Amino acid sequence: MGYYDDDYESPSRQKGNRGGKFLPALLGAILGGLLVLFTVPALGGAGLLPDNLYPPNEEQNGLGTDEDVEQRKVDVDLTTNVTDAVDKASGAVVEVINIQQTDFWSQQPAGTGSGVIYKKEGNKAYVVTNDHVVADANQIEITLSNGTKLKGTLRGTDPLMDLAVVEIDGSKVDSVAEFGVSGDLKRGEPAIAIGNPLGNFPGSVTQGIVSSADRSIPVDLDQDGNPDWQAEVIQTDAAINPGNSGGALINIAGQVIGINSSKIAQNEVEGIGFAIPSDVAKPIIEDLENYGETRRPFLGVNIIPLSQVNTYQREQTLKIPDSVQEGVVVMEITSASPAARAGIKEMDVIVEMGGEKIKDPIALRKFLYTKAKIGDEVDVTYYRDGKKKTVKVELSGGKQSQ
């Protein structure tokens, strides 16, 4: 019958008998209760029952009191060398907006990139960015890291090195970047990119390493399929996306070691980005700020590689020995140029300058832009009508590329 005692429902039992069984039962219950009371603590103390048999109070729940939790929040320090470096440099990284004329009445943004404030002097400040970021702009707008928008005035560009300098109102500028020495970089050291990827995420930070401190990549300015220059760049695996161009690549000390320029954008390629080394950029930036152009020594010639000349023209027109396989052919001379003053003529084949072999146009430009200076007098060796000649040429400065 469930919870009921059988004796409680039996009509044949006498009432006196029920009273006789009640007292022993009561005593048994009391003794049983006492046994449990004294046994449970003893078992727990002997390690036979877990200590957390009962729910813990607030101070035993692993979190502690509210005061303890707040103290732990204060004690957690997330500052690292990377965050310190970013804090130091990020205020000088800006957004650069290229605004172009769409029709007679209106203008609109044609592209967005990044830039770095490298100098503040009086009421002016100066931003370095990429030439391709500001190319063909009718107007340039600079957005500071705090959101302030300023009008930018283009001071000068260098398409060959992909650099440009923009002047802005310095009264609104609080942060100026510190440039480091790119020549001291080592493979594997940290590299941090700061910029405005995709034009929508200003102040974005990506971290990687210096994959190569002195990589050379071909640059084809006129898109004719022939490289016009071998750019010296820093290779990094820090993510550099469209919109990062012109932004800062910094070291762990927060110094700018490169100006982000490009990446290899192929489906099968990941983590190959490039930056213009600070050591290469600094003299060009100075020229662009002061003169509006890069002042380089030049010959005043228009040339093509000898390798592009067919056998017939080599024999009948140039008349050079078969042993000469490398050099540059002079196709045009700029009047009153150093080459013209030295007597160099069209169809001369230049094979050496300043004691260094000139194998192609890139080698000639590299000598002029990295080994020579304006005012230098250098020996130029060339072939004319099959005869080898050497002449001294005094290099002058100019905007011409060679």
Side-chain angles (χ1 to χ4, degrees):
M1 295 291 297
Y3 296 103
Y4 297 100
D5 189 351
D6 290 341
D7 290 343
Y8 182 79
E9 293 188 21
S10 175
S12 62
R13 304 289 176 93
Q14 297 181 4
K15 293 182 180 181
N17 291 336
R18 291 205 326 263
K21 293 182 179 180
F22 177 76
L23 183 58
L26 178 61
L27 290 174
I30 293 172
L31 290 174
L34 290 174
L35 181 61
V36 171
L37 179 63
F38 289 104
T39 302
V40 170
L43 291 173
L48 299 177
L49 291 177
D51 292 335
N52 61 351
L53 182 64
Y54 301 102
N57 59 29
E58 187 177 8
E59 294 186 0
Q60 296 173 323
N61 62 8
L63 296 176
T65 64
D66 291 341
E67 291 79 5
D68 293 335
V69 174
E70 288 301 318
Q71 183 60 41
R72 279 197 295 274
K73 288 181 181 178
V74 173
D75 291 342
V76 175
D77 185 3
L78 299 179
T79 301
T80 66
N81 290 339
V82 174
T83 59
D84 286 342
V86 171
D87 287 344
K88 179 179 179 179
S90 59
V93 179
V94 301
E95 179 183 13
V96 181
I97 302 175
N98 180 326
I99 300 173
Q100 296 184 11
Q101 194 85 30
T102 56
D103 53 43
F104 183 78
W105 303 103
S106 62
Q107 294 180 329
Q108 68 179 16
T112 302
S114 305
V116 181
I117 302 173
Y118 69 89
K119 180 180 178 180
K120 179 180 177 180
E121 190 174 69
N123 61 350
K124 297 179 181 179
Y126 301 92
V127 176
V128 58
T129 184
N130 288 145
D131 168 73
H132 76 261
V133 170
V134 297
D136 302 319
N138 297 109
Q139 182 179 332
I140 299 172
E141 184 176 87
I142 304 295
T143 304
L144 304 182
S145 60
N146 62 9
T148 301
K149 295 184 180 297
L150 301 173
K151 178 184 177 181
T153 302
L154 186 64
R155 290 295 295 259
T157 66
D158 185 347
L160 186 68
M161 302 304 296
D162 196 21
L163 289 171
V165 169
V166 179
E167 179 186 312
I168 58 175
D169 179 5
S171 66
K172 307 294 184 181
V173 173
D174 297 323
S175 298
V176 176
E178 175 187 347
F179 273 59
V181 179
S182 60
D184 293 339
L185 292 176
K186 294 179 174 60
R187 286 184 303 162
E189 74 170 89
I192 305 162
I194 308 176
N196 179 35
L198 305 182
N200 293 314
F201 305 100
S204 291
V205 177
T206 56
Q207 182 185 5
I209 61 171
V210 174
S211 304
S212 174
D214 55 357
R215 186 72 70 200
S216 293
I217 59 173
V219 177
D220 184 4
L221 293 176
D222 52 15
Q223 303 299 313
D224 64 352
N226 296 309
D228 299 296
W229 179 244
Q230 288 284 345
E232 297 178 10
V233 295
I234 300 168
Q235 179 187 334
T236 179
D237 66 345
I240 297 177
N241 295 295
N244 274 117
S245 294
L249 187 71
I250 65 174
N251 59 18
I252 203 67
Q255 300 170 321
V256 177
I257 53 173
I259 303 300
N260 298 325
S261 180
S262 60
K263 65 176 291 185
I264 295 180
Q266 299 176 8
N267 291 334
E268 66 273 19
V269 175
E270 182 177 350
I272 301 181
F274 303 105
I276 303 162
S278 58
D279 292 355
V280 173
K282 282 187 287 187
I284 295 172
I285 292 170
E286 186 176 346
D287 276 358
L288 295 179
E289 178 190 330
N290 294 325
Y291 307 113
E293 63 184 33
T294 304
R295 294 168 63 89
R296 300 186 177 102
F298 83 111
L299 273 178
V301 294
N302 181 17
I303 56 179
I304 63 170
L306 179 61
S307 60
Q308 291 186 1
V309 179
N310 61 42
T311 302
Y312 177 82
Q313 294 295 342
R314 285 170 57 95
E315 295 175 353
Q316 300 299 318
T317 304
L318 302 180
K319 300 177 181 178
I320 59 173
D322 292 338
S323 59
V324 179
Q325 296 295 317
E326 296 176 329
V328 294
V329 182
V330 177
M331 303 300 293
E332 185 179 356
I333 300 282
T334 303
S335 61
S337 67
R341 292 196 299 267
I344 296 175
K345 299 180 179 180
E346 294 178 2
M347 298 299 125
D348 286 347
V349 180
I350 298 174
V351 294
E352 191 175 302
M353 287 187 66
E356 296 197 12
K357 292 187 180 301
I358 303 300
K359 300 186 294 184
D360 51 33
I362 292 175
L364 186 144
R365 293 188 186 103
K366 187 173 183 179
F367 174 82
L368 288 176
Y369 304 163
T370 64
K371 303 291 180 64
K373 297 179 181 179
I374 295 173
D376 284 354
E377 192 175 68
V378 299
D379 290 333
V380 177
T381 300
Y382 61 94
Y383 281 88
R384 179 186 296 168
D385 295 328
K387 297 180 180 180
K388 188 176 183 179
K389 300 176 179 291
T390 298
V391 65
K392 289 190 178 295
V393 178
E394 183 179 348
L395 302 175
S396 60
K399 196 173 181 179
Q400 291 89 341
S401 62
Q402 58 203 9

